[in-house]
Amino acid sequence: MSTNTSDRPAKITTQTVVDMKRNGEKISMLTAYDFTMATIVDQAGIDIILVGDSASNVMAGYETTVPMTLDHMIYHTSCVVRGVDRALVIADLPFMSYQVTAKEALISAGRMMKEAGAHAIKLEGGKPIAGTIRKIVDAGIPVMGHLGLTPQSIYKFGTYKVRATDEEEATALIEDAKLLQEAGCFSIVLEKIPANLAKRVSEELDIPTIGIGAGAGCDGQVLVLHDMLGLNKGFNPRFLRRYADLHSEMTGAVQQYISDVKSIDFPNEEEQYGG
Ligand code: KIV
């Protein structure tokens, strides 16, 4: 039951998304990395905004997520938090800000909450990171897990291909998912794994799964905002549905502006000040 008595929309919490799974309502999640985009995505009614370390690719132009630092992620997250009224804002802990020791992970997660204003953090990995997750959750910080294709490990995998297609990796993934739930995760991202495996994991867990390239059996879906808006022409994975072609829209707008400036069509009488 909602306790919201104002005109403002009820804020989404980690408990809300757990309840959504229980009630059979699918969860919508998109990434955002800056104030303006976060405002649009939040006002459109998204449930969760992920400040993903995919910022490394789409904002900073790196090939992988590995170069992202905690300070970069704190900056992006604080920009997003200032644009959001309703959505749950989850921030990725970047590579090497949580893997070395549980103490360091706790400090990183704490900075993300205190300095950036995140509502929860996400980190990648299964069994090796479960103890660390327990400590972060015990400190009062909600954690989202991330299994399957974990892009911070790209140099270990050597490829962005679908994960857990063989029985051994699929069995390990199911065990990892259960361990993350036991460790206190409120939700888990499943990235690029077979749809039947993601469905099975989703059915066996009480906490919601959020899929990207993991099929319709997940409890929710996430896409990178720039990809689903059609800003990235060169990225065409099977799982991506484009909801707009902003690359063409923006190119057209910029070309029209250039033409208007060159032809002295812009600015016109109404677009300048009298003296
Ligand atoms: O960094 C990111 O955007 C992510 C999503 C793809 C789940 O982790």
Side-chain angles (χ1 to χ4, degrees):
M1 196 185 77
S2 171
T3 51
N4 186 38
T5 51
S6 73
D7 289 340
R8 293 162 72 90
K11 285 183 188 296
I12 305 289
T13 67
T14 55
Q15 191 54 52
T16 316
V17 295
V18 174
D19 289 345
M20 284 167 83
K21 172 171 181 144
R22 230 168 262 156
N23 299 332
E25 184 184 345
K26 295 284 186 187
I27 300 157
S28 61
M29 175 160 129
L30 281 172
T31 65
Y33 318 97
D34 67 85
F35 173 82
T36 304
M37 291 287 202
T39 304
I40 294 169
V41 172
D42 184 54
Q43 289 176 5
I46 202 80
D47 297 314
I48 303 176
I49 294 181
L50 172 67
V51 189
D53 59 358
S54 49
S56 186
N57 310 103
V58 298
M59 301 299 287
Y62 290 116
E63 251 181 54
T64 74
T65 57
V66 169
M68 223 52 188
T69 68
L70 186 59
D71 285 334
H72 292 145
M73 290 305 298
I74 286 174
Y75 169 73
H76 284 294
T77 304
S78 65
C79 297
V80 167
V81 166
R82 285 191 287 276
V84 169
D85 251 350
R86 172 183 175 271
L88 179 70
V89 179
I90 303 176
D92 262 340
L93 288 190
F95 184 57
M96 279 303 149
S97 70
Y98 61 92
Q99 288 95 339
V100 179
T101 64
K103 181 176 169 186
E104 197 188 8
L106 192 49
I107 291 169
S108 300
R111 284 192 62 199
M112 196 56 89
M113 303 294 282
K114 285 177 74 86
E115 294 176 36
H119 306 148
I121 60 101
K122 174 167 86 57
L123 46 76
E124 298 180 5
K127 193 172 179 188
I129 210 73
T132 294
I133 291 175
R134 179 82 267 165
K135 287 200 169 65
I136 297 174
V137 172
D138 283 348
I141 299 172
V143 176
M144 174 178 265
H146 186 152
L147 295 172
L149 177 64
T150 47
Q152 291 176 15
S153 301
I154 184 58
Y155 290 108
K156 186 175 94 181
F157 296 147
T159 162
Y160 286 105
K161 279 200 202 123
V162 181
R163 304 302 310 178
T165 50
D166 63 75
E167 205 170 316
E168 196 186 342
E169 200 179 326
T171 306
L173 190 141
I174 294 169
E175 276 169 27
D176 280 344
K178 288 179 180 166
L179 278 175
L180 293 192
Q181 174 170 273
E182 275 166 36
C185 282
F186 71 92
S187 176
I188 301 175
V189 164
L190 298 176
E191 179 163 356
K192 240 179 163 182
I193 62 171
N196 57 357
L197 174 62
K199 184 169 185 284
R200 181 167 164 204
V201 172
S202 307
E203 283 167 359
E204 293 196 15
L205 295 185
D206 296 324
I207 58 171
T209 59
I210 310 289
I212 174 162
C218 295
D219 302 303
Q221 298 293 329
V222 57
L223 285 175
V224 167
L225 184 65
H226 292 57
D227 299 340
M228 63 84 76
L229 290 178
L231 281 161
N232 290 335
K233 276 272 186 225
F235 185 62
N236 295 300
R238 178 190 170 106
F239 68 78
L240 176 61
R241 186 182 294 183
R242 289 214 169 81
Y243 288 85
D245 182 6
L246 291 196
H247 188 281
S248 302
E249 282 278 318
M250 289 176 74
T251 303
V254 172
Q255 285 172 338
Q256 186 63 54
Y257 168 75
I258 294 167
S259 162
D260 289 353
V261 169
K262 302 277 182 194
S263 64
I264 326 178
D265 180 78
F266 175 80
N268 64 23
E269 283 295 320
E270 282 82 50
E271 291 160 337
Q272 55 196 333
Y273 300 100

